[in-house]
PDB file of all heavy atoms in Angstrom:
ATOM      1  N   ASP A 149    -174.300 -76.103 -50.665  1.00 94.00           N
ATOM      2  CA  ASP A 149    -174.673 -75.189 -49.573  1.00 94.00           C
ATOM      3  C   ASP A 149    -173.627 -75.082 -48.475  1.00 94.00           C
ATOM      4  O   ASP A 149    -173.339 -73.913 -48.038  1.00 94.00           O
ATOM      5  CB  ASP A 149    -176.084 -75.719 -49.007  1.00 94.00           C
ATOM      6  CG  ASP A 149    -177.238 -75.443 -50.008  1.00 94.00           C
ATOM      7  OD1 ASP A 149    -177.111 -74.648 -50.908  1.00 94.00           O
ATOM      8  OD2 ASP A 149    -178.289 -76.033 -49.601  1.00 94.00           O
ATOM      9  N   ILE A 150    -173.161 -76.322 -48.041  1.00 95.00           N
ATOM     10  CA  ILE A 150    -172.130 -76.349 -47.016  1.00 95.00           C
ATOM     11  C   ILE A 150    -170.799 -75.693 -47.445  1.00 95.00           C
ATOM     12  O   ILE A 150    -170.204 -74.836 -46.750  1.00 95.00           O
ATOM     13  CB  ILE A 150    -171.855 -77.826 -46.518  1.00 95.00           C
ATOM     14  CG1 ILE A 150    -173.076 -78.407 -46.040  1.00 95.00           C
ATOM     15  CG2 ILE A 150    -170.671 -77.914 -45.567  1.00 95.00           C
ATOM     16  CD1 ILE A 150    -172.974 -80.028 -45.810  1.00 95.00           C
ATOM     17  N   LEU A 151    -170.420 -75.915 -48.852  1.00 94.00           N
ATOM     18  CA  LEU A 151    -169.230 -75.283 -49.316  1.00 94.00           C
ATOM     19  C   LEU A 151    -169.474 -73.790 -49.409  1.00 94.00           C
ATOM     20  O   LEU A 151    -168.467 -72.975 -48.963  1.00 94.00           O
ATOM     21  CB  LEU A 151    -169.036 -75.850 -50.739  1.00 94.00           C
ATOM     22  CG  LEU A 151    -167.821 -75.251 -51.443  1.00 94.00           C
ATOM     23  CD1 LEU A 151    -166.502 -75.656 -50.802  1.00 94.00           C
ATOM     24  CD2 LEU A 151    -167.900 -75.464 -52.814  1.00 94.00           C
ATOM     25  N   ALA A 152    -170.572 -73.205 -49.821  1.00 92.00           N
ATOM     26  CA  ALA A 152    -170.794 -71.777 -49.747  1.00 92.00           C
ATOM     27  C   ALA A 152    -170.678 -71.104 -48.412  1.00 92.00           C
ATOM     28  O   ALA A 152    -170.173 -70.071 -48.293  1.00 92.00           O
ATOM     29  CB  ALA A 152    -172.195 -71.410 -50.385  1.00 92.00           C
ATOM     30  N   ASP A 153    -171.237 -71.854 -47.454  1.00 93.00           N
ATOM     31  CA  ASP A 153    -171.082 -71.317 -46.044  1.00 93.00           C
ATOM     32  C   ASP A 153    -169.621 -71.207 -45.574  1.00 93.00           C
ATOM     33  O   ASP A 153    -169.184 -70.345 -44.987  1.00 93.00           O
ATOM     34  CB  ASP A 153    -171.980 -72.197 -45.121  1.00 93.00           C
ATOM     35  CG  ASP A 153    -173.462 -72.039 -45.344  1.00 93.00           C
ATOM     36  OD1 ASP A 153    -173.823 -70.905 -46.039  1.00 93.00           O
ATOM     37  OD2 ASP A 153    -174.254 -72.877 -44.873  1.00 93.00           O
ATOM     38  N   LYS A 154    -168.839 -72.343 -45.854  1.00 93.00           N
ATOM     39  CA  LYS A 154    -167.537 -72.488 -45.480  1.00 93.00           C
ATOM     40  C   LYS A 154    -166.709 -71.418 -46.080  1.00 93.00           C
ATOM     41  O   LYS A 154    -165.870 -70.733 -45.445  1.00 93.00           O
ATOM     42  CB  LYS A 154    -166.918 -73.744 -45.830  1.00 93.00           C
ATOM     43  CG  LYS A 154    -167.335 -74.939 -44.842  1.00 93.00           C
ATOM     44  CD  LYS A 154    -166.503 -76.194 -45.243  1.00 93.00           C
ATOM     45  CE  LYS A 154    -166.806 -77.261 -44.220  1.00 93.00           C
ATOM     46  NZ  LYS A 154    -166.057 -78.478 -44.564  1.00 93.00           N
ATOM     47  N   LEU A 155    -166.927 -71.140 -47.389  1.00 91.00           N
ATOM     48  CA  LEU A 155    -166.171 -70.116 -48.123  1.00 91.00           C
ATOM     49  C   LEU A 155    -166.552 -68.721 -47.517  1.00 91.00           C
ATOM     50  O   LEU A 155    -165.693 -67.912 -47.417  1.00 91.00           O
ATOM     51  CB  LEU A 155    -166.507 -70.267 -49.554  1.00 91.00           C
ATOM     52  CG  LEU A 155    -165.769 -71.282 -50.293  1.00 91.00           C
ATOM     53  CD1 LEU A 155    -166.261 -71.342 -51.819  1.00 91.00           C
ATOM     54  CD2 LEU A 155    -164.289 -71.122 -50.389  1.00 91.00           C
ATOM     55  N   ASP A 156    -167.845 -68.539 -47.151  1.00 90.00           N
ATOM     56  CA  ASP A 156    -168.204 -67.248 -46.748  1.00 90.00           C
ATOM     57  C   ASP A 156    -167.449 -67.003 -45.425  1.00 90.00           C
ATOM     58  O   ASP A 156    -166.855 -65.869 -45.142  1.00 90.00           O
ATOM     59  CB  ASP A 156    -169.717 -67.207 -46.469  1.00 90.00           C
ATOM     60  CG  ASP A 156    -170.243 -65.801 -46.330  1.00 90.00           C
ATOM     61  OD1 ASP A 156    -169.803 -64.950 -47.043  1.00 90.00           O
ATOM     62  OD2 ASP A 156    -171.189 -65.571 -45.529  1.00 90.00           O
ATOM     63  N   ARG A 157    -167.436 -67.928 -44.504  1.00 90.00           N
ATOM     64  CA  ARG A 157    -166.609 -67.805 -43.249  1.00 90.00           C
ATOM     65  C   ARG A 157    -165.180 -67.583 -43.508  1.00 90.00           C
ATOM     66  O   ARG A 157    -164.548 -66.727 -42.779  1.00 90.00           O
ATOM     67  CB  ARG A 157    -166.878 -68.973 -42.310  1.00 90.00           C
ATOM     68  CG  ARG A 157    -168.232 -69.062 -41.757  1.00 90.00           C
ATOM     69  CD  ARG A 157    -168.332 -70.116 -40.563  1.00 90.00           C
ATOM     70  NE  ARG A 157    -168.016 -71.519 -41.092  1.00 90.00           N
ATOM     71  CZ  ARG A 157    -168.937 -72.302 -41.468  1.00 90.00           C
ATOM     72  NH1 ARG A 157    -170.160 -72.065 -41.588  1.00 90.00           N
ATOM     73  NH2 ARG A 157    -168.467 -73.475 -41.767  1.00 90.00           N
ATOM     74  N   LEU A 158    -164.556 -68.271 -44.486  1.00 89.00           N
ATOM     75  CA  LEU A 158    -163.206 -68.143 -44.720  1.00 89.00           C
ATOM     76  C   LEU A 158    -162.833 -66.782 -45.248  1.00 89.00           C
ATOM     77  O   LEU A 158    -161.874 -66.163 -44.902  1.00 89.00           O
ATOM     78  CB  LEU A 158    -162.735 -69.117 -45.812  1.00 89.00           C
ATOM     79  CG  LEU A 158    -162.261 -70.506 -45.451  1.00 89.00           C
ATOM     80  CD1 LEU A 158    -161.910 -71.354 -46.627  1.00 89.00           C
ATOM     81  CD2 LEU A 158    -160.967 -70.266 -44.581  1.00 89.00           C
ATOM     82  N   VAL A 159    -163.729 -66.117 -46.034  1.00 85.00           N
ATOM     83  CA  VAL A 159    -163.503 -64.827 -46.759  1.00 85.00           C
ATOM     84  C   VAL A 159    -163.618 -63.720 -45.646  1.00 85.00           C
ATOM     85  O   VAL A 159    -162.821 -62.889 -45.492  1.00 85.00           O
ATOM     86  CB  VAL A 159    -164.461 -64.641 -47.825  1.00 85.00           C
ATOM     87  CG1 VAL A 159    -164.431 -63.202 -48.302  1.00 85.00           C
ATOM     88  CG2 VAL A 159    -164.115 -65.463 -49.112  1.00 85.00           C
ATOM     89  N   ILE A 160    -164.532 -64.017 -44.748  1.00 85.00           N
ATOM     90  CA  ILE A 160    -164.764 -62.904 -43.681  1.00 85.00           C
ATOM     91  C   ILE A 160    -163.520 -62.912 -42.733  1.00 85.00           C
ATOM     92  O   ILE A 160    -162.990 -62.017 -42.270  1.00 85.00           O
ATOM     93  CB  ILE A 160    -166.060 -63.271 -42.842  1.00 85.00           C
ATOM     94  CG1 ILE A 160    -167.193 -62.852 -43.662  1.00 85.00           C
ATOM     95  CG2 ILE A 160    -166.115 -62.475 -41.573  1.00 85.00           C
ATOM     96  CD1 ILE A 160    -168.563 -63.374 -43.107  1.00 85.00           C
ATOM     97  N   LYS A 161    -163.116 -64.274 -42.481  1.00 86.00           N
ATOM     98  CA  LYS A 161    -161.889 -64.350 -41.506  1.00 86.00           C
ATOM     99  C   LYS A 161    -160.627 -63.791 -42.233  1.00 86.00           C
ATOM    100  O   LYS A 161    -159.864 -63.189 -41.512  1.00 86.00           O
ATOM    101  CB  LYS A 161    -161.590 -65.843 -41.268  1.00 86.00           C
ATOM    102  CG  LYS A 161    -160.511 -66.229 -40.258  1.00 86.00           C
ATOM    103  CD  LYS A 161    -160.472 -67.686 -39.969  1.00 86.00           C
ATOM    104  CE  LYS A 161    -159.405 -68.094 -39.154  1.00 86.00           C
ATOM    105  NZ  LYS A 161    -159.205 -69.564 -38.891  1.00 86.00           N
TER     106      LYS A 161
END
Side-chain angles (χ1 to χ4, degrees):
D149 288 343
I150 294 167
L151 179 70
D153 291 340
K154 282 185 175 183
L155 285 174
D156 200 37
R157 287 192 302 269
L158 268 176
V159 168
I160 290 170
K161 185 176 177 181

